[in-house]
Amino acid sequence: MIKIIIAAILGCICEYFALLQILDTPNWLIVTLLHALASLFYAFISYTLIPVKYKTTPFSSVLFLFLLLLSLPILGIIGVVFALSFALCKPIKNDDIEIEEHKISALPFEAKMTSANPSYSIGGLKAILKHASEPNKRLSAVMSARHMSDARAIPILKLALKDLEDDIRLLAYSTLDGKETKINEKISQYQQEITLTSTQPELGKLQGQLAELYWELSYLGLAQGALKSYVLEKAELLALQSVEHVKAPATFVLLGRICLSLNKYPQGLTHLTHATEFGMAQRHVLPYKAEVAFYMGLLDDCKRYLNELPKQPEGSELRHLQEYWHG
Protein backbone atom coordinates (compact mmCIF):
# COMPACT_ATOMS: atom_id res chain seq x y z
CA MET A 1 0.00 0.00 0.00
CA ILE A 2 2.90 2.36 0.80
CA LYS A 3 4.33 1.72 -2.69
CA ILE A 4 1.01 2.64 -4.26
CA ILE A 5 0.82 5.90 -2.28
CA ILE A 6 4.41 6.85 -3.16
CA ALA A 7 3.84 6.05 -6.83
CA ALA A 8 0.64 8.13 -6.83
CA ILE A 9 2.42 11.11 -5.23
CA LEU A 10 5.32 10.90 -7.69
CA GLY A 11 2.89 10.63 -10.59
CA CYS A 12 0.97 13.67 -9.43
CA ILE A 13 4.20 15.66 -9.05
CA CYS A 14 5.27 14.73 -12.60
CA GLU A 15 1.90 15.71 -14.00
CA TYR A 16 1.96 18.98 -11.99
CA PHE A 17 5.33 20.05 -13.43
CA ALA A 18 4.26 18.96 -16.92
CA LEU A 19 1.19 21.19 -16.59
CA LEU A 20 3.35 24.11 -15.43
CA GLN A 21 5.58 23.64 -18.48
CA ILE A 22 2.55 23.79 -20.77
CA LEU A 23 1.15 26.92 -19.10
CA ASP A 24 4.50 28.71 -19.20
CA THR A 25 6.86 28.51 -22.16
CA PRO A 26 6.44 24.83 -23.04
CA ASN A 27 9.43 22.59 -23.62
CA TRP A 28 7.68 19.66 -25.26
CA LEU A 29 10.54 17.25 -24.66
CA ILE A 30 10.37 17.85 -20.91
CA VAL A 31 6.54 17.69 -20.98
CA THR A 32 6.66 14.34 -22.76
CA LEU A 33 9.25 12.91 -20.35
CA LEU A 34 7.29 14.03 -17.29
CA HIS A 35 4.02 12.64 -18.70
CA ALA A 36 5.76 9.36 -19.56
CA LEU A 37 7.07 9.07 -15.98
CA ALA A 38 3.59 9.79 -14.59
CA SER A 39 2.12 7.18 -16.94
CA LEU A 40 4.70 4.63 -15.76
CA PHE A 41 3.85 5.30 -12.10
CA TYR A 42 0.11 5.03 -12.71
CA ALA A 43 0.56 1.88 -14.81
CA PHE A 44 2.28 0.34 -11.79
CA ILE A 45 -0.60 1.48 -9.57
CA SER A 46 -3.24 0.04 -11.95
CA TYR A 47 -1.44 -3.29 -12.30
CA THR A 48 -1.14 -3.57 -8.51
CA LEU A 49 -4.81 -2.84 -7.91
CA ILE A 50 -6.32 -5.17 -10.53
CA PRO A 51 -7.35 -8.72 -9.42
CA VAL A 52 -4.80 -11.50 -9.56
CA LYS A 53 -6.67 -13.43 -12.30
CA TYR A 54 -5.83 -10.63 -14.77
CA LYS A 55 -2.09 -10.75 -14.02
CA THR A 56 -1.27 -13.73 -16.21
CA THR A 57 1.13 -11.75 -18.46
CA PRO A 58 2.83 -9.07 -16.35
CA PHE A 59 4.97 -7.47 -19.06
CA SER A 60 2.18 -7.25 -21.63
CA SER A 61 -0.28 -5.96 -19.05
CA VAL A 62 2.00 -3.22 -17.76
CA LEU A 63 2.97 -2.22 -21.31
CA PHE A 64 -0.68 -1.99 -22.34
CA LEU A 65 -1.53 0.14 -19.30
CA PHE A 66 1.48 2.36 -19.88
CA LEU A 67 0.64 3.00 -23.56
CA LEU A 68 -3.03 3.60 -22.70
CA LEU A 69 -2.19 6.16 -20.02
CA LEU A 70 0.50 7.77 -22.18
CA SER A 71 -2.05 8.52 -24.88
CA LEU A 72 -4.44 10.35 -22.52
CA PRO A 73 -4.50 14.01 -21.50
CA ILE A 74 -2.76 14.96 -18.30
CA LEU A 75 -5.79 15.00 -15.98
CA GLY A 76 -7.53 12.06 -17.67
CA ILE A 77 -4.86 9.66 -16.49
CA ILE A 78 -6.21 9.61 -12.93
CA GLY A 79 -9.77 8.86 -14.02
CA VAL A 80 -8.63 5.94 -16.17
CA VAL A 81 -6.69 4.38 -13.29
CA PHE A 82 -9.66 4.45 -10.96
CA ALA A 83 -12.12 3.39 -13.67
CA LEU A 84 -10.04 0.35 -14.67
CA SER A 85 -9.28 -0.72 -11.14
CA PHE A 86 -12.87 -0.33 -9.90
CA ALA A 87 -14.40 -2.06 -12.97
CA LEU A 88 -12.11 -5.09 -12.70
CA CYS A 89 -12.34 -5.41 -8.94
CA LYS A 90 -16.09 -4.82 -8.69
CA PRO A 91 -17.77 -6.21 -11.82
CA ILE A 92 -21.53 -5.86 -12.13
CA LYS A 93 -23.29 -9.04 -11.07
CA ASN A 94 -26.26 -10.13 -13.16
CA ASP A 95 -28.58 -11.86 -10.73
CA ASP A 96 -31.59 -11.69 -13.05
CA ILE A 97 -30.61 -14.67 -15.21
CA GLU A 98 -33.29 -17.32 -15.00
CA ILE A 99 -32.00 -20.86 -15.07
CA GLU A 100 -34.46 -23.41 -16.36
CA GLU A 101 -33.78 -27.00 -15.44
CA HIS A 102 -34.59 -29.82 -17.84
CA LYS A 103 -34.80 -33.42 -16.81
CA ILE A 104 -32.59 -35.83 -18.71
CA SER A 105 -34.85 -38.09 -20.70
CA ALA A 106 -34.49 -41.79 -20.06
CA LEU A 107 -33.01 -43.98 -22.77
CA PRO A 108 -35.47 -46.27 -24.57
CA PHE A 109 -35.57 -49.89 -23.54
CA GLU A 110 -34.92 -50.96 -27.13
CA ALA A 111 -33.36 -49.18 -30.05
CA LYS A 112 -35.84 -47.90 -32.59
CA MET A 113 -36.04 -49.98 -35.73
CA THR A 114 -35.15 -48.26 -38.99
CA SER A 115 -35.55 -49.66 -42.44
CA ALA A 116 -32.39 -51.05 -44.00
CA ASN A 117 -33.80 -50.30 -47.45
CA PRO A 118 -35.38 -46.85 -47.32
CA SER A 119 -37.22 -45.67 -50.41
CA TYR A 120 -35.73 -42.73 -52.24
CA SER A 121 -36.83 -40.86 -55.34
CA ILE A 122 -34.44 -41.52 -58.20
CA GLY A 123 -35.45 -38.21 -59.79
CA GLY A 124 -34.80 -36.35 -56.54
CA LEU A 125 -31.33 -37.82 -56.14
CA LYS A 126 -30.45 -37.00 -59.74
CA ALA A 127 -31.63 -33.42 -59.21
CA ILE A 128 -29.41 -33.12 -56.14
CA LEU A 129 -26.37 -34.40 -58.05
CA LYS A 130 -27.03 -32.00 -60.92
CA HIS A 131 -28.02 -28.83 -59.10
CA ALA A 132 -26.91 -28.94 -55.42
CA SER A 133 -24.03 -26.53 -54.82
CA GLU A 134 -22.95 -28.08 -51.51
CA PRO A 135 -20.68 -31.14 -51.93
CA ASN A 136 -22.05 -32.70 -48.73
CA LYS A 137 -25.55 -32.85 -50.20
CA ARG A 138 -24.28 -34.53 -53.36
CA LEU A 139 -22.23 -36.94 -51.26
CA SER A 140 -25.35 -37.81 -49.25
CA ALA A 141 -27.21 -38.51 -52.49
CA VAL A 142 -24.52 -41.02 -53.50
CA MET A 143 -24.67 -42.60 -50.05
CA SER A 144 -28.46 -42.90 -50.38
CA ALA A 145 -28.12 -44.64 -53.75
CA ARG A 146 -26.16 -47.41 -52.05
CA HIS A 147 -29.39 -48.49 -50.29
CA MET A 148 -31.38 -48.74 -53.52
CA SER A 149 -31.77 -51.64 -55.91
CA ASP A 150 -29.04 -51.98 -58.51
CA ALA A 151 -31.34 -51.04 -61.40
CA ARG A 152 -32.24 -47.74 -59.68
CA ALA A 153 -28.87 -46.99 -58.12
CA ILE A 154 -26.52 -47.50 -61.07
CA PRO A 155 -27.84 -44.56 -63.19
CA ILE A 156 -27.37 -42.29 -60.18
CA LEU A 157 -23.86 -43.60 -59.51
CA LYS A 158 -22.91 -43.10 -63.16
CA LEU A 159 -24.11 -39.52 -62.96
CA ALA A 160 -21.98 -39.04 -59.83
CA LEU A 161 -18.88 -40.12 -61.81
CA LYS A 162 -19.07 -36.74 -63.59
CA ASP A 163 -19.02 -34.73 -60.35
CA LEU A 164 -16.26 -32.16 -59.82
CA GLU A 165 -15.47 -33.35 -56.28
CA ASP A 166 -12.90 -36.15 -56.04
CA ASP A 167 -14.52 -37.72 -52.97
CA ILE A 168 -17.90 -38.03 -54.71
CA ARG A 169 -16.42 -39.54 -57.86
CA LEU A 170 -14.32 -42.00 -55.87
CA LEU A 171 -17.30 -43.11 -53.76
CA ALA A 172 -19.45 -43.62 -56.86
CA TYR A 173 -16.68 -45.50 -58.65
CA SER A 174 -15.96 -47.76 -55.69
CA THR A 175 -19.68 -48.55 -55.32
CA LEU A 176 -20.06 -49.39 -59.01
CA ASP A 177 -16.87 -51.42 -58.96
CA GLY A 178 -18.15 -53.36 -55.96
CA LYS A 179 -21.40 -54.23 -57.74
CA GLU A 180 -19.56 -55.34 -60.88
CA THR A 181 -17.04 -57.35 -58.85
CA LYS A 182 -19.84 -59.18 -57.04
CA ILE A 183 -21.45 -60.21 -60.35
CA ASN A 184 -18.09 -61.27 -61.84
CA GLU A 185 -17.39 -63.39 -58.77
CA LYS A 186 -20.72 -65.19 -59.26
CA ILE A 187 -19.88 -65.69 -62.94
CA SER A 188 -16.55 -67.29 -62.03
CA GLN A 189 -18.30 -69.52 -59.50
CA TYR A 190 -20.88 -70.77 -62.04
CA GLN A 191 -18.20 -71.28 -64.68
CA GLN A 192 -16.29 -73.55 -62.30
CA GLU A 193 -19.46 -75.48 -61.46
CA ILE A 194 -20.25 -75.91 -65.18
CA THR A 195 -16.80 -77.40 -65.86
CA LEU A 196 -17.42 -79.94 -63.09
CA THR A 197 -20.96 -80.83 -64.21
CA SER A 198 -21.78 -83.04 -67.20
CA THR A 199 -25.23 -84.41 -66.37
CA GLN A 200 -28.56 -82.95 -67.37
CA PRO A 201 -30.69 -81.17 -66.27
CA GLU A 202 -28.18 -79.81 -63.71
CA LEU A 203 -25.90 -78.48 -66.46
CA GLY A 204 -28.79 -76.76 -68.24
CA LYS A 205 -29.90 -75.03 -65.03
CA LEU A 206 -26.35 -73.75 -64.39
CA GLN A 207 -26.10 -72.46 -67.95
CA GLY A 208 -29.39 -70.61 -67.53
CA GLN A 209 -28.23 -69.01 -64.27
CA LEU A 210 -24.93 -67.99 -65.86
CA ALA A 211 -26.81 -66.47 -68.80
CA GLU A 212 -28.82 -64.34 -66.35
CA LEU A 213 -25.60 -62.99 -64.81
CA TYR A 214 -24.19 -62.00 -68.19
CA TRP A 215 -27.53 -60.37 -69.02
CA GLU A 216 -27.43 -58.49 -65.73
CA LEU A 217 -24.07 -56.91 -66.64
CA SER A 218 -25.68 -55.46 -69.75
CA TYR A 219 -29.07 -54.61 -68.24
CA LEU A 220 -27.55 -52.69 -65.32
CA GLY A 221 -25.28 -50.76 -67.65
CA LEU A 222 -22.06 -52.15 -66.19
CA ALA A 223 -20.96 -53.31 -69.64
CA GLN A 224 -20.72 -50.77 -72.44
CA GLY A 225 -19.69 -50.77 -76.10
CA ALA A 226 -17.98 -53.89 -77.38
CA LEU A 227 -18.10 -55.47 -73.92
CA LYS A 228 -21.89 -55.11 -73.89
CA SER A 229 -22.17 -56.93 -77.23
CA TYR A 230 -19.89 -59.67 -75.91
CA VAL A 231 -21.85 -60.30 -72.71
CA LEU A 232 -25.16 -60.29 -74.61
CA GLU A 233 -23.89 -62.83 -77.16
CA LYS A 234 -22.47 -64.92 -74.32
CA ALA A 235 -25.79 -64.77 -72.49
CA GLU A 236 -27.68 -65.76 -75.68
CA LEU A 237 -25.42 -68.75 -76.30
CA LEU A 238 -25.72 -70.02 -72.72
CA ALA A 239 -29.49 -69.53 -72.68
CA LEU A 240 -29.88 -71.45 -75.96
CA GLN A 241 -27.79 -74.29 -74.53
CA SER A 242 -29.94 -74.26 -71.40
CA VAL A 243 -33.33 -74.49 -73.17
CA GLU A 244 -32.18 -77.47 -75.20
CA HIS A 245 -32.50 -79.57 -72.03
CA VAL A 246 -34.48 -77.42 -69.56
CA LYS A 247 -37.59 -75.78 -71.03
CA ALA A 248 -37.82 -73.07 -68.40
CA PRO A 249 -40.30 -70.29 -69.36
CA ALA A 250 -38.16 -67.67 -67.61
CA THR A 251 -35.18 -68.60 -69.80
CA PHE A 252 -37.27 -68.11 -72.95
CA VAL A 253 -38.29 -64.66 -71.68
CA LEU A 254 -34.61 -63.94 -71.04
CA LEU A 255 -33.78 -65.03 -74.60
CA GLY A 256 -36.48 -62.70 -75.92
CA ARG A 257 -35.04 -59.73 -74.01
CA ILE A 258 -31.49 -60.58 -75.13
CA CYS A 259 -32.56 -60.75 -78.79
CA LEU A 260 -34.40 -57.46 -78.34
CA SER A 261 -31.15 -55.84 -77.13
CA LEU A 262 -29.23 -57.42 -80.05
CA ASN A 263 -31.85 -56.19 -82.56
CA LYS A 264 -32.79 -59.78 -83.45
CA TYR A 265 -36.49 -59.05 -83.41
CA PRO A 266 -37.94 -62.13 -85.20
CA GLN A 267 -35.93 -64.50 -82.99
CA GLY A 268 -36.97 -62.54 -79.93
CA LEU A 269 -40.67 -62.82 -80.84
CA THR A 270 -40.25 -66.57 -81.33
CA HIS A 271 -38.64 -67.01 -77.90
CA LEU A 272 -41.36 -64.95 -76.23
CA THR A 273 -44.02 -67.08 -77.89
CA HIS A 274 -42.28 -70.22 -76.60
CA ALA A 275 -42.31 -68.71 -73.10
CA THR A 276 -46.11 -68.53 -73.07
CA GLU A 277 -46.36 -72.02 -74.57
CA PHE A 278 -44.34 -73.42 -71.68
CA GLY A 279 -46.44 -71.76 -69.01
CA MET A 280 -45.29 -68.13 -68.59
CA ALA A 281 -48.18 -65.78 -67.78
CA GLN A 282 -49.16 -63.46 -70.62
CA ARG A 283 -48.81 -60.34 -68.45
CA HIS A 284 -45.06 -61.01 -68.15
CA VAL A 285 -44.55 -61.50 -71.91
CA LEU A 286 -46.92 -59.07 -73.62
CA PRO A 287 -44.89 -55.88 -72.84
CA TYR A 288 -41.82 -57.39 -74.54
CA LYS A 289 -43.92 -58.63 -77.47
CA ALA A 290 -45.31 -55.12 -77.90
CA GLU A 291 -41.79 -53.69 -77.91
CA VAL A 292 -40.59 -56.23 -80.50
CA ALA A 293 -43.63 -55.52 -82.67
CA PHE A 294 -42.97 -51.78 -82.47
CA TYR A 295 -39.35 -52.14 -83.63
CA MET A 296 -40.47 -54.48 -86.44
CA GLY A 297 -42.99 -51.87 -87.60
CA LEU A 298 -45.99 -54.03 -86.72
CA LEU A 299 -47.94 -51.21 -85.07
CA ASP A 300 -51.30 -53.02 -85.12
CA ASP A 301 -49.73 -55.96 -83.30
CA CYS A 302 -48.11 -53.58 -80.82
CA LYS A 303 -51.49 -52.00 -80.08
CA ARG A 304 -53.13 -55.43 -79.78
CA TYR A 305 -50.51 -56.70 -77.30
CA LEU A 306 -50.96 -53.62 -75.12
CA ASN A 307 -54.72 -54.01 -75.32
CA GLU A 308 -54.48 -57.64 -74.17
CA LEU A 309 -52.33 -56.59 -71.25
CA PRO A 310 -54.34 -56.06 -68.02
CA LYS A 311 -54.73 -52.48 -66.86
CA GLN A 312 -51.56 -51.40 -65.10
CA PRO A 313 -51.39 -49.31 -61.89
CA GLU A 314 -51.93 -45.57 -62.20
CA GLY A 315 -48.73 -43.66 -62.92
CA SER A 316 -46.72 -46.66 -64.16
CA GLU A 317 -44.87 -46.50 -67.47
CA LEU A 318 -46.92 -49.35 -68.93
CA ARG A 319 -50.13 -47.52 -67.97
CA HIS A 320 -48.92 -44.44 -69.85
CA LEU A 321 -48.18 -46.61 -72.89
CA GLN A 322 -51.63 -48.18 -72.75
CA GLU A 323 -53.29 -44.77 -72.54
CA TYR A 324 -51.17 -43.46 -75.42
CA TRP A 325 -52.00 -46.32 -77.78
CA HIS A 326 -55.68 -46.43 -76.87
CA GLY A 327 -56.25 -42.74 -76.14
Side-chain angles (χ1 to χ4, degrees), residues 188-198 203 206 209:
S188 299
Q189 179 183 347
Y190 279 116
Q191 286 174 338
Q192 291 176 4
E193 292 181 13
I194 287 174
T195 57
L196 300 174
T197 305
S198 58
L203 180 59
L206 290 173
Q209 291 169 337

Side-chain angles (χ1 to χ4, degrees), residues 59-125:
F59 177 78
S60 300
S61 301
V62 173
L63 180 62
F64 169 75
L65 292 169
F66 171 73
L67 294 175
L68 177 63
L69 298 172
L70 184 66
S71 62
L72 294 172
I74 293 175
L75 297 178
I77 193 172
I78 300 175
V80 170
V81 171
F82 284 104
L84 279 175
S85 302
F86 183 78
L88 294 176
C89 293
K90 300 290 183 180
I92 297 175
K93 294 182 179 180
N94 192 350
D95 297 329
D96 298 331
I97 299 176
E98 295 182 0
I99 299 176
E100 184 177 355
E101 295 185 2
H102 296 275
K103 293 183 178 179
I104 300 175
S105 57
L107 293 175
F109 178 73
E110 292 180 344
K112 293 184 179 180
M113 299 298 294
T114 56
S115 174
N117 299 303
S119 58
Y120 299 96
S121 167
I122 184 171
L125 293 182

Side-chain angles (χ1 to χ4, degrees), residues 126-139 141 163:
K126 283 185 175 180
I128 291 173
L129 287 172
K130 288 181 180 179
H131 306 297
S133 58
E134 297 182 11
N136 287 337
K137 288 185 178 180
R138 303 199 301 274
L139 187 63
D163 199 276

Side-chain angles (χ1 to χ4, degrees), residues 227-299:
L227 179 60
K228 179 178 180 180
S229 300
Y230 169 77
V231 298
L232 285 173
E233 292 170 359
K234 191 73 173 177
E236 182 186 21
L237 177 61
L238 287 165
L240 287 172
Q241 292 173 349
S242 175
V243 295
E244 288 180 4
H245 303 280
V246 182
K247 307 297 183 182
T251 308
F252 282 110
V253 174
L254 177 63
L255 271 169
R257 299 179 69 183
I258 293 171
C259 291
L260 187 59
S261 298
L262 291 172
N263 301 329
K264 299 179 179 180
Y265 304 123
Q267 297 93 319
L269 188 58
T270 301
H271 293 309
L272 292 170
T273 302
H274 287 329
T276 55
E277 291 174 355
F278 285 101
M280 180 61 70
Q282 286 282 356
R283 67 178 183 275
H284 297 307
V285 180
L286 287 173
Y288 302 115
K289 281 187 174 182
E291 189 174 356
V292 171
F294 175 80
Y295 283 115
M296 293 177 68
L298 306 174
L299 300 185

